[in-house]
Structures are given as C-alpha cells and as structure tokens.
Amino acid sequence: MIEEGSKSSKSMVEKRQLFMEMRAQNFDVIRLSTYRTACKLRFVQKRCNLHLVDVWNMIEAFRDNGLSTLDHNAEINVSRLETILSSIFYQLNKRLPTTHQINVEQSIGLLLNFIVATYDSEGHGKLTVFAMKAMLATMCGGKILDKLRYIFSQISDSNGVMVYAKFDQFLREVLKLPTAVFEGPSFGYTEHSVRTCFPQQKKILLNTFLDVLMADPPPQYLVWLPLMHRLANVENVFHPVECSYCRSESMMGFRYRCQQCHGYQLCQSCFWRGHASGPHSNQHQMKEHSSWKSPAKKLSHAISKSLGCMPIGEPPHPVFPEAAERPQDLAHTTQLRPVASNMNDTVLISSGTPTPSKSSTLESPSRLDEEHRLIARYAARLAAEASNSTQCPPTDLSFNFDANKQQRQLIAELENKNREILQEIQRLRLEHEQASQPTPEKAQQNPTLLAELRLLRHRKDELERRMSALQESRRELMVQLEGLMRLLKSQTGTSPHSSPSHSASCTMPMPIRSTSAGSTPTHTPQDCLAGVGDDVLDAFSQGVPRNLRNDLLVAADSITNTMSSLVKELHSVDDGLEEEEENMRNGREKVSSLKHSGKRQSTPSF
C-alpha cells in the first residue's frame, strides 16, 4: 500500500511538473492572448524536445508504429502511446550527435503527461489516433508548410477535396492545445470555428487551404500557429538597436517599430508587456520586424523598389498540383542525400497518386535510374545557385528573384516526377509480391485449379511409366536387330553370290527419330541403348532433346509411331532374308543341274 501511494504521488508530481515550470516563466504578464498562447506552446514544445523532431520524422514514426493503417476514430491506450513516444525520442537520439543527446525518459514522461492531460482529462486511459496525429504534427518541429500539407492529406478525400467534417474534427482536437495552457477563452473550440476559417461553402483544394491558413492575418482561431513558428525562427536574431523603453542596447527576437512616433522602437519583452514612454501610446500601430537590415541594405532595397526591380509581393507558398494527394505516411518516401558538399538539407519528396502509364511500365528500370540521376543533378545545381546567390551584390536582386522562381519551378517539376517514380516503385513491388507467392497457395484459393493440377500430375506419372516400358521394349528390339545384322554380315561375308548393293541395303536400316529424350524416373535414352552395337547406335543416333515436361503427350505418340516403323523395318528385313535364302536355293539347284549336264555356266549376279 505504501509503494502504491508513493507511485501515485510521484505520478501526480510528474503531471504537474510541466505546468509548474510553465507558470514559473510568468507568461501571463503578456497582454496579447495570441503572443501569450504562442509563447506557452513554444515552451511546451522545447521542454519536451519536440522542436528537435522534424515533421517528416514524425510521419515516419506514425508509419513505423502502424498508425497509418488505423482508422482516425480508432482508440489507443496510454501504454501504446508511451511506446510510440519512446520510438520517436530514441530515434531522435540516434540522429543527434553525442554532444547533444537528450534525456529520453524525461522527455517521454513530460510529453505523455501533457498529452493525457490535454486529451484525456476525464481519465478514460484512451485517445483517438486522429487526436494524437493532430497534436504531434502540430507541436513537432519543421516548416509550417509541410505540416499543413500533411494535415490536409488527413482531412481530404481521395479526390483531393477537403472534407468539412474532418476539418471540424481537426479544429476540435488542435484547439485543445490552447485550452491545455489555460487559453481556452481566447482560442477554444466553438461550433462556428469552421465557418470562421472558410466562410463560403465551396470546394477547398490544397492551394486554397494553404492560402487561407498561411494568409496574413490567418484565421482567428489558428492565429497562434504561424506565430509559434515565427517565434522559433527569431529566437536567435540580433538587432543592434536600443530599446526606447528599457534602454537595452541590443534586442533578441522580434523588434517593433512605431508607425507614428519617429525612431521609436521596442524590444519584444517591452511590447508584449505593454510598456510605453514619452508621446508613444499602446494604441499606436506597431510594425513587427524579424530581421535587421543595415542602412546600406535599406537604401539598395528602396532603390530597387523604386526602379521596379523588386516583386510586388511573393506568394506565401509554392503552387502545388491540383491532383489528389494520398495521406503522407512516408510508406514509400524517397529520401535523396545531397550531392554537393555545401547542401546541408536532405531533399524529401512525398508520394503521389497518378496512375502509371504504359510507357512507364515498359521502361521502369532504366527510367527510375534516369530520374534519380536527374533529381540528384538538379539538387546539386540548386545548391550551387544558392551558394552563388549569397555572394551576389545588392544590385542583382532582380536576378536573384528570377533564379529563386526558376528554383521553385524546378522543385515543383521534381516533385511531380518523383510522384510518378514512387507510384512505379509501388506497382513493381506489388507485382513482385504477387509473383513471389507460391503456387500451392494460389491453388488452394482455387479448388478447380488444384483438381486440374492433380490430374495433370497423375497423367504425367502414367506417361512416365508408359515411356519407361516403351524404352525397354525398344532396347530389346534393337538388341534383336543387332543380332540379325550380325547374322546378315556373316552371311554376306561368306556368300560370294550376294551383291554389294543388296547387302548395303540390308545393313543400313532406316534411321528412327527419337523424341523420348528427357529425364524420367527410371530410364534415360542412354540406358535404353545399353548393350547395343555401334552400327545400331549410329543408325539410331539421338537428335536434339526435347522438353519432356512440356510435351509428354507428343513424345508418347512419337515413340508409338517409332515403334511401329521399327516393326515394319524388322518385317522388311525378314522378307529380305527369306528372298535371299530363296535365291541361294535356286542358285544351288541350277549349279547342280549344270554339273550333271557337263556344261560350264557363269554364276549369275544377285
């Protein structure tokens, strides 16, 4: 009982630890709820080390733990959630250098308690798969564009159109994050949240979805999401400017400049807390700066803008194809390592859904290699152009913009080509899996096919036995033929009355074409000719072997015809022998008659 009490008290302390540390940061003094919410969630993200996990690594963890195959409404218990978080952070430590390793157990405990407190406040011990995906994809590191693309893939149908019910479910889950950090009154979920983001009932595709959520300003309920990413980008930005209120000689993070008071600037700490001095008022409009430009850069920027060399406004995101995108679970994601040494980021291209054409099916092996080489070459060229653009003077700003536009176009083309490559890889993998399945399993799925296979196997065994018997009969007949040929040779050698032409016709029988070549369980063609003389072997020489397994029936019929011709040949040989004996008998009678008559006659030639 004492041990159980100590464990429960320890669990309560761990659950409250993150919130106690967050309260110690005194974020509640920030007067604007948007900044207050973004700062609190950024603190949770960094304290749980989620900022070190890229969104692509998070999606890969979903796939490795089998979440990509589960329904969004399926529930998982806390123990499985802990297993998933363990795999995420242990894989993170493998990617980090040894000098930057994190405390995995502490990160798992803090994040697990935060998720349970956010999505299982009633203590059921379970949460849905979609809630966990939405939370981890929102709170992990990476670019907001990649996060929104993944979120859209989870809330869209097979045609690439957003489903309003799924987007409403996403808002319901993601807006629990501000509520968990005590900002529910400002950013809590309401029934009108969806209509606030998309006021008009229309078909929402990927580009429209990105336009709305990455607009300036974004939807009111999600205004804290892009701000949290901007906070991460400016944490180490230095501004060599003095704050007009606290008189700090340098600023870190955001810098705010008043649009009415000349030269009045505030650091982010003073602006967030509402400090003001002199003629400045909190009601004045302030402009937020996330970087510092020297006076020389400002002058060149103004000159380029006045000459029309600067673009009027860049789009907030690249334009993606309107084709439907599958959920990005990284099941078949291609990861290309950079070719150039100055390219630090890994090129990651997600899978698409286009159906492969017939030409791609015929050219798949060489085409894949060519496409990969093309992507690697383009990546090297982009890296080289990026390094050269950093060394260009301010007067080449228009050229740099054109180069950046070309780079974006190249990236879009590479993504389209890579989608085709990934689809081709998927098709080839499916074909390989289907071809690698054993035949008995296929036969078991089809009883008719199994019965036919058994019948063919029985027919094959029967033909092999018949083949063996025919070969044995053939050998016996050829041995008998050999004896007859020896007898003929002996008679031909001793009889002077035999003509050479007739003896040659007797000793050279018709060659018999053998179609029984092919291995059988009992005999081979060489075994059948064992004990037969060289003359018969020469007369019955084997031809090119045929495939017994593919043509057993034809082979059996050919052997039967061969045996018939052999019997006919033997009959013809017997008839020749009888005719020869009759001629010799007639010759002897004529010779005896001539001797008695005393006349000399020449021996006729036969």
Side-chain angles (χ1 to χ4, degrees):
M1 296 295 293
I2 297 176
E3 292 181 357
E4 292 180 358
S6 61
K7 288 182 180 179
S8 61
S9 61
K10 182 179 179 181
S11 177
M12 292 297 295
V13 171
E14 290 179 352
K15 289 182 179 179
R16 296 176 180 177
Q17 178 182 356
L18 184 63
F19 296 101
M20 293 173 63
E21 293 179 1
M22 184 178 64
R23 288 184 182 277
Q25 299 295 320
N26 201 17
F27 291 121
D28 291 330
V29 300
I30 301 176
R31 64 186 181 95
L32 299 176
S33 61
T34 303
Y35 287 95
R36 190 167 59 244
T37 305
C39 289
K40 289 181 178 180
L41 292 177
R42 175 62 179 169
F43 172 79
V44 174
Q45 182 190 48
K46 294 180 65 176
R47 187 66 182 87
C48 298
N49 290 314
L50 276 176
H51 67 294
L52 301 175
V53 183
D54 191 82
V55 61
W56 297 107
N57 300 125
M58 189 65 71
I59 301 171
E60 185 178 3
F62 295 159
R63 176 182 60 82
D64 293 340
N65 288 275
L67 299 180
S68 301
T69 58
L70 296 178
D71 186 75
H72 283 175
N73 297 323
E75 293 184 342
I76 58 175
N77 53 26
V78 178
S79 60
R80 184 172 182 184
L81 175 61
E82 185 175 4
T83 303
I84 297 171
L85 297 181
S86 300
S87 66
I88 292 173
F89 287 112
Y90 278 112
Q91 289 296 326
L92 172 62
N93 252 359
K94 291 180 181 179
R95 295 189 297 268
L96 293 176
T98 54
T99 55
H100 293 76
Q101 297 288 301
I102 65 171
N103 189 338
V104 175
E105 298 297 332
Q106 185 182 24
S107 300
I108 294 173
L110 290 175
L111 183 57
L112 180 64
N113 292 325
F114 179 74
I115 294 177
V116 171
T118 304
Y119 293 98
D120 189 29
S121 58
E122 298 180 359
H124 296 298
K126 293 182 179 181
L127 69 158
T128 62
V129 173
F130 185 75
M132 191 195 64
K133 284 185 176 182
M135 183 270 171
L136 292 177
T138 304
M139 293 295 293
C140 68
K143 299 179 180 179
I144 186 173
L145 177 63
D146 297 333
K147 292 183 180 182
L148 294 177
R149 287 182 62 192
Y150 172 70
I151 292 170
F152 184 81
S153 69
Q154 300 296 308
I155 62 175
S156 59
D157 57 13
S158 59
N159 297 321
V161 180
M162 188 191 76
V163 180
Y164 277 86
K166 291 184 178 180
F167 180 69
D168 181 75
Q169 184 182 4
F170 166 72
L171 285 181
R172 190 187 303 271
E173 301 298 342
V174 79
L175 290 181
K176 290 180 182 179
L177 294 173
T179 305
V181 293
F182 314 107
E183 296 296 332
S186 300
F187 301 104
Y189 172 81
T190 62
E191 296 179 355
H192 306 287
S193 300
V194 178
R195 295 303 170 198
T196 304
C197 299
F198 300 100
Q200 297 180 358
Q201 180 74 24
K202 59 181 180 180
K203 185 169 66 173
I204 305 298
L205 300 177
L206 175 60
N207 292 312
T208 307
F209 180 79
L210 296 177
D211 289 339
V212 172
L213 269 69
M214 297 184 68
D216 188 15
Q220 179 61 31
Y221 287 94
L222 295 174
V223 68
W224 51 269
L225 181 57
L227 179 58
M228 186 176 68
H229 286 79
R230 296 205 307 272
L231 281 174
N233 295 331
V234 302
E235 283 182 346
N236 298 319
V237 175
F238 175 76
H239 304 269
V241 181
E242 182 183 16
C243 178
S244 300
Y245 181 83
C246 65
R247 301 301 176 182
S248 176
E249 296 182 356
S250 60
M251 301 181 189
M252 294 293 292
F254 286 119
R255 173 172 56 91
Y256 297 89
R257 185 181 185 89
C258 182
Q259 300 298 298
Q260 298 182 18
C261 304
H262 177 71
Y264 194 89
Q265 300 186 86
L266 293 176
C267 63
Q268 67 177 19
S269 178
C270 294
F271 175 75
W272 290 352
R273 285 160 175 78
H275 297 319
S277 61
H280 177 71
S281 171
N282 289 331
Q283 304 301 322
H284 290 180
Q285 185 179 4
M286 303 289 287
K287 185 176 181 180
E288 183 182 90
H289 295 273
S290 58
S291 62
W292 164 256
K293 292 182 180 179
S294 62
K297 284 188 176 182
K298 291 181 180 179
L299 179 61
S300 63
H301 179 80
I303 294 174
S304 300
K305 189 174 182 180
S306 61
L307 295 177
C309 298
M310 294 295 294
I312 299 176
E314 293 187 10
H317 64 85
V319 179
F320 295 97
E322 297 295 342
E325 292 191 353
R326 289 181 178 176
Q328 301 173 2
D329 56 358
L330 288 190
H332 309 291
T333 299
T334 302
Q335 188 171 12
L336 275 175
R337 293 297 177 189
V339 178
S341 59
N342 58 352
M343 187 176 182
N344 298 324
D345 296 334
T346 302
V347 179
L348 284 172
I349 305 176
S350 61
S351 63
T353 58
T355 304
S357 59
K358 294 183 179 178
S359 60
S360 63
T361 304
L362 297 176
E363 303 175 357
S364 55
S366 59
R367 182 174 173 274
L368 289 177
D369 296 337
E370 182 180 359
E371 293 291 346
H372 282 294
R373 287 195 298 268
L374 182 63
I375 292 175
R377 189 160 59 249
Y378 279 165
R381 193 172 77 179
L382 289 177
E385 291 177 358
S387 61
N388 294 333
S389 63
T390 57
Q391 302 175 0
C392 293
T395 56
D396 294 334
L397 293 176
S398 60
F399 175 76
N400 292 339
F401 172 74
D402 295 336
N404 292 334
K405 185 176 180 181
Q406 294 177 0
Q407 291 174 7
R408 288 194 298 271
Q409 293 176 353
L410 286 175
I411 291 174
E413 293 176 1
L414 292 177
E415 288 182 349
N416 293 333
K417 292 180 180 179
N418 196 68
R419 290 189 185 96
E420 298 179 1
I421 294 172
L422 293 173
Q423 186 65 26
E424 184 69 17
I425 292 174
Q426 176 70 11
R427 187 192 62 79
L428 293 175
R429 183 174 297 170
L430 291 175
E431 290 183 358
H432 177 71
E433 291 177 355
Q434 294 175 359
S436 62
Q437 291 181 356
T439 304
E441 293 182 1
K442 296 180 181 178
Q444 290 176 2
Q445 298 174 1
N446 192 345
T448 306
L449 181 60
L450 181 60
E452 292 179 358
L453 287 175
R454 290 177 179 173
L455 183 61
L456 289 175
R457 190 177 294 108
H458 179 71
R459 179 64 175 167
K460 176 178 175 292
D461 296 338
E462 182 179 343
L463 288 175
E464 287 178 349
R465 289 193 297 270
R466 185 179 176 188
M467 184 76 173
S468 176
L470 289 174
Q471 287 177 347
E472 184 64 25
S473 301
R474 180 189 178 204
R475 191 186 70 80
E476 294 176 358
L477 290 173
M478 295 183 72
V479 170
Q480 294 178 6
L481 181 60
E482 177 67 19
L484 292 174
M485 292 179 69
R486 288 177 183 173
L487 181 60
L488 270 175
K489 283 185 179 181
S490 62
Q491 292 179 358
T492 303
T494 56
S495 176
H497 306 285
S498 301
S499 64
S501 61
H502 186 74
S503 63
S505 64
C506 295
T507 57
M508 294 297 292
M510 294 293 292
I512 300 175
R513 183 174 59 91
S514 174
T515 59
S516 60
S519 59
T520 60
T522 55
H523 298 282
T524 61
Q526 289 78 9
D527 297 336
C528 297
L529 298 179
V532 182
D534 295 337
D535 295 334
V536 180
L537 289 175
D538 294 338
F540 296 91
S541 60
Q542 298 292 325
V544 179
R546 298 184 63 179
N547 193 345
L548 178 61
R549 182 177 56 192
N550 297 333
D551 207 359
L552 285 175
L553 295 174
V554 177
D557 295 338
S558 300
I559 290 173
T560 304
N561 297 332
T562 302
M563 294 298 105
S564 301
S565 61
L566 179 60
V567 172
K568 292 179 181 179
E569 184 68 23
L570 289 176
H571 285 305
S572 64
V573 172
D574 292 339
D575 294 338
L577 290 174
E578 293 177 358
E579 184 181 356
E580 181 67 22
E581 291 177 357
E582 183 67 25
N583 291 333
M584 292 176 66
R585 189 182 300 110
N586 294 333
R588 290 192 189 97
E589 292 177 356
K590 289 182 180 181
V591 170
S592 61
S593 63
L594 287 174
K595 284 183 179 180
H596 286 89
S597 62
K599 295 180 181 180
R600 297 178 59 89
Q601 293 181 357
S602 60
T603 304
S605 176
F606 294 95

